[in-house]
Amino acid sequence: RPNPVEVISTIARDYLSTCESFSIWCEELGYDSDSLCARRIYDACQEQGDSLLKLVSRAQLQELAQMEW
């Protein structure tokens, strides 16, 4: 069973990784920037992070992303 803190922390990390452009994100994570699948993953990370930002501040999101579990 997933730990809610781990899930939220992972969403925060994924979201913060998308703060760079799509091409930089792909390069850093080893995705092909021509891949539609990679684009969907990138977009999903942004959408989930945007949803999380409706619940917490950006500073709190950054703290969540740095949590060790």
Side-chain angles (χ1 to χ4, degrees), residues 15 18 40 42-52:
Y15 175 73
T18 66
R40 284 191 296 267
Y42 177 85
D43 290 344
C45 290
Q46 285 190 317
E47 289 173 20
Q48 289 177 343
D50 288 340
S51 294
L52 187 55

Side-chain angles (χ1 to χ4, degrees), residues 3 5 19 22 24-25 30 51 55-57 66-67:
N3 177 327
V5 174
C19 291
F22 174 66
I24 292 172
W25 179 85
S51 294
L55 302 172
V56 300
S57 70
Q66 295 174 359
M67 291 183 75

Side-chain angles (χ1 to χ4, degrees), residues 20-35:
E20 299 291 335
S21 70
F22 174 66
S23 60
I24 292 172
W25 179 85
C26 286
E27 186 178 311
E28 288 181 356
L29 296 177
Y31 287 104
D32 179 356
S33 61
D34 290 330
S35 168

